[in-house]
């Protein structure tokens, strides 16, 4: 009795094994497609929610700035409404409008924070942040305003980027106006090394940049933007899609690479945030 597998049986087993491998490959591709579709779906839904929020806010958020708008140190651009992050001479500009109470903005930050930081660190983009307060207008409360003022106070201390990340990582549920409490904003500053100082606390509690935040929100409402987050690459919208392609970390890197083709990365150090903006609202740093 031979212990060899008959040729016919061997071929049948090989064919069966090959079929199983093909099925495994198809199942793996199917799971990948499902996960990718889910991410795209979340971002698309988020964009719709942001659009609805912005449109609703146009009717109910008529709060206007009162008193002089005190821009945070290092703010740039028209009326010094831009908080810059990254090399000032980077070949591309990523403009981001956000509201710290906006859940869609938090979803964007969760998905793209590392990618944006990497592109900025490599000198591929300079990131220009603008702050809005549409959720306050939609739901009432003051959390968007208070958090944006605190972020501007962090900019005075040269800590905007890390504090910005902490705020979004600790964002309360949308109906919960927890950011309206200065004590909570100061508590979160403890997560950023060197930020929780008497100067920062005074800035937060006095609402030093409130009028500047309101002026920024007015610019958002008058700018024709459709919702938060609004994300522009060199002035072109890339959220939730660009040219028929859904935004993703990979696509964002691809779009930046295409925009920067043949250009050197930026190396210039951003303006010193300790240098205050002049009384006209324009900083002494580089223009955007």
């Amino acid at each position: 009795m031979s212990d060899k597998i008959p040729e016919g049986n061997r071929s049948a087993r090989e064919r069966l094994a090959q079929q199983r491998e093909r099925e495994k490959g198809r199942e793996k591709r199917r799971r990948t497609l499902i996960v990718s579709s889910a991410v795209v779906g979340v971002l698309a839904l988020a964009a719709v929610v942001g659009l609805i929020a912005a449109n609703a806010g146009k009717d109910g958020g008529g709060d206007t700035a009162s008193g002089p708008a005190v821009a945070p140190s290092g703010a740039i651009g028209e009326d010094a409404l831009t908080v810059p992050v990254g090399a000032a001479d980077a070949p591309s500009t990523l403009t981001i409008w956000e509201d710290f109470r906006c859940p869609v903005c938090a979803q964007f930050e969760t998905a793209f924070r590392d990618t944006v930081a990497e592109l900025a660190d490599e000198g591929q983009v300079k990131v220009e942040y603008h702050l809005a307060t549409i959720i306050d207008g939609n739901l009432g409360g003051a959390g968007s305003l208070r958090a944006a003022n605190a972020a501007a106070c962090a900019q005075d201390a040269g800590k905007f980027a890390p504090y910005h990340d902490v705020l979004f990582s600790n964002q309360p549920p949308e109906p919960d106006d927890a950011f309206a409490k200065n004590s909570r904003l100061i508590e979160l500053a403890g997560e950023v090394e060197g930020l929780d100082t008497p100067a920062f606390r005074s800035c937060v509690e006095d609402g030093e940049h409130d009028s500047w935040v309101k002026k920024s929100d007015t610019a958002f409402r008058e700018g024709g933007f459709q919702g938060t987050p609004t994300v522009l690459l060199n002035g072109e919208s890339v959220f939730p899609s660009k040219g028929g392609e859904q935004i993703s970390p990979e696509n964002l890197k691809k779009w930046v690479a295409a925009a920067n083709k043949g250009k050197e990365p930026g190396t210039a150090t951003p303006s010193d945030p300790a240098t205050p903006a002049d009384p006209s609202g324009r900083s002494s740093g580089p223009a955007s």
Side-chain angles (χ1 to χ4, degrees):
M1 186 78 174
S2 173
D3 60 358
K4 294 182 178 179
I5 300 174
E7 190 64 31
N9 290 346
R10 180 185 296 112
S11 298
R13 292 186 180 183
E14 289 174 349
R15 287 196 300 271
L16 181 59
Q18 291 171 356
Q19 177 65 21
R20 287 174 177 170
E21 288 300 316
R22 286 194 293 270
E23 290 176 353
K24 288 180 181 179
R26 283 196 294 268
E27 177 63 18
K28 182 178 180 181
R29 289 192 296 272
R30 187 182 72 84
R31 287 197 302 269
T32 300
L33 179 60
I34 289 173
V35 171
S36 299
S37 299
V39 171
V40 169
V42 167
L43 289 174
L45 177 60
V48 172
V49 173
L51 172 60
I52 294 171
N55 288 338
K58 289 177 182 176
D59 296 327
D63 197 4
T64 57
S66 58
V70 179
S73 300
I76 63 173
E78 184 176 357
D79 294 325
L81 296 178
T82 302
V83 177
V85 173
D89 61 344
S92 285
T93 300
L94 191 67
T95 303
I96 303 177
W97 287 85
E98 293 180 311
D99 180 332
F100 287 110
R101 284 183 73 186
C102 165
V104 186
C105 299
Q107 291 172 17
F108 171 80
E109 286 295 330
T110 298
F112 292 92
R113 178 182 296 119
D114 292 344
T115 302
V116 172
E118 178 183 337
L119 290 169
D121 290 344
E122 292 177 352
Q124 300 300 317
V125 299
K126 56 181 175 182
V127 188
E128 297 188 342
Y129 288 99
H130 298 262
L131 306 181
T133 62
I134 62 173
I135 304 301
D136 285 358
N138 295 343
L139 301 181
S144 299
L145 173 62
R146 299 263 48 79
N149 172 69
C153 295
Q155 169 66 12
D156 286 336
K159 306 284 186 179
F160 174 85
Y163 187 62
H164 160 279
D165 293 349
V166 166
L167 287 176
F168 277 119
S169 296
N170 290 275
Q171 185 188 75
E174 189 176 13
D176 181 356
D177 199 22
F179 281 172
K181 298 179 180 178
N182 289 332
S183 58
R184 175 58 175 159
L185 298 169
I186 292 171
E187 177 186 5
L188 290 174
E191 297 187 20
V192 178
E193 185 178 0
L195 179 57
D196 186 5
T197 63
F200 174 80
R201 290 185 173 220
S202 176
C203 182
V204 171
E205 291 170 348
D206 293 345
E208 183 171 332
H209 300 296
D210 281 1
S211 291
W212 176 83
V213 173
K214 293 175 184 178
K215 194 169 186 178
S216 179
D217 182 66
T218 297
F220 171 77
R221 296 177 188 280
E222 294 178 350
F225 302 115
Q226 298 301 304
T228 54
T230 287
V231 185
L232 311 173
L233 176 60
N234 298 325
E236 179 183 2
S237 177
V238 295
F239 183 89
S241 63
K242 173 183 178 295
E245 291 185 288
Q246 291 287 337
I247 191 172
S248 67
E250 294 74 20
N251 279 343
L252 182 57
K253 288 181 179 180
K254 180 181 71 173
W255 298 335
V256 170
N260 291 353
K261 188 174 181 180
K263 301 175 184 178
E264 293 296 321
T267 58
T269 302
S271 57
D272 184 356
T275 303
D278 67 33
S280 68
R282 295 183 180 274
S283 78
S284 58
S288 62

